[in-house]
């Protein structure tokens, strides 16, 4: 029994906990600067609801989020008269910046799709761009508009199997008109003038129910 306790202690020391001031990830274009938020998503107060923000600035946009097994758990908005097809669950930070780096971990679970998203600084903030992940593919798309006016264009895509029951690491950097997304060892790059527009919201989304996010950190960034 004592040996088991020692082994568990050693294993715990070998797995560094997510820090309130995490070390920025390795990046290609953007140099992480000021830390905007670092959130484990292991406490209920991590995510705000009904127009409120959580303790580190994260708030629900649509759908719902709760904390399950030490991570944010997404539940998409059900179909309604206003949104007949429902809507993916969204959680974001309100920001005012140009370039950024965001990193963290996600698990698809039973969700058909998750993504890291950004919107511009208009009022209301319009869709700008995102990287989306499904069990079979990863892609980057540029976007405009919002609600029924939303328009999207896939700029780059790879077909790859993504294990739905495994935690995957992501790093997304937007520097000027360039968008780089690293999902585990897969790296995608895209370029479009739309990406250079000023950002007003940065966050993540999940379709269906069952996707989880944890250990998410967001930095302001400059060109290397």
């Amino acid at each position: 029994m004592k040996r088991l306790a020692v082994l568990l202690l050693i294993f715990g020391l070998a797995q560094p906990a997510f820090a309130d001031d995490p070390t920025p990830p390795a990046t290609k274009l953007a140099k992480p600067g000021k830390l905007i938020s670092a959130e484990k998503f292991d406490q209920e107060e991590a995510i705000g609801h009904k127009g409120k923000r959580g303790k580190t600035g994260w708030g629900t946009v649509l759908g719902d989020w709760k904390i399950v097994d030490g991570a944010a758990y997404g539940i998409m908005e059900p179909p309604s008269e206003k949104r007949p097809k429902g809507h993916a669950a969204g959680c974001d930070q309100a920001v005012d910046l140009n370039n950024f780096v965001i990193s963290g971990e996600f698990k698809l679970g039973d969700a058909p799709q998750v993504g890291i998203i950004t919107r511009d600084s208009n009022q209301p903030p319009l869709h700008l761009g995102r990287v989306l992940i499904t069990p079979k593919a990863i892609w980057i798309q540029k976007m405009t508009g919002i609600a029924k006016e939303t328009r999207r264009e896939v700029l780059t895509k790879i077909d790859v199997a993504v294990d739905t029951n495994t935690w995957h690491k992501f790093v997304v950097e937007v520097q000027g008109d360039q968008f780089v997304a690293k999902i585990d060892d897969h790296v995608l790059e895209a370029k479009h003038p739309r990406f250079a527009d000023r950002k007003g919201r940065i966050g993540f989304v999940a379709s269906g129910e069952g996707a989880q996010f944890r250990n998410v950190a967001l930095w302001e960034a400059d060109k290397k």
Side-chain angles (χ1 to χ4, degrees), residues 93-201:
Q93 283 273 339
V95 298
D96 182 22
L97 50 83
N98 283 325
N99 309 314
F100 68 89
V101 173
I102 185 171
S103 67
E105 299 172 85
F106 72 89
K107 182 194 290 186
L108 276 164
D110 292 329
Q113 180 176 281
V114 300
I116 311 302
I117 64 99
T118 181
R119 290 198 275 168
D120 64 23
S121 58
N122 285 303
Q123 293 301 324
L126 308 179
H127 296 296
L128 193 157
R130 59 183 61 183
V131 56
L132 291 167
I133 305 107
T134 73
K136 297 182 178 180
I138 305 170
W139 67 92
I140 294 173
Q141 62 188 36
K142 75 94 175 175
M143 303 177 72
T144 58
I146 197 169
K148 294 181 179 180
E149 301 302 316
T150 299
R151 298 293 181 268
R152 58 184 63 84
E153 178 185 353
V154 175
L155 301 179
T156 184
K157 181 178 182 180
I158 59 173
D159 294 322
V160 59
V162 179
D163 189 336
T164 59
N165 295 312
T166 296
W167 282 101
H168 302 277
K169 294 183 178 181
F170 69 83
V171 178
V172 171
E173 48 182 308
V174 176
Q175 170 63 50
D177 62 358
Q178 294 177 284
F179 192 122
V180 178
K182 182 178 181 182
I183 311 299
D184 293 332
D185 294 326
H186 305 290
V187 179
L188 291 82
E189 300 182 44
K191 187 175 183 179
H192 195 281
R194 175 64 171 148
F195 296 145
D197 291 344
R198 196 157 185 86
K199 286 70 179 179
R201 299 290 181 95

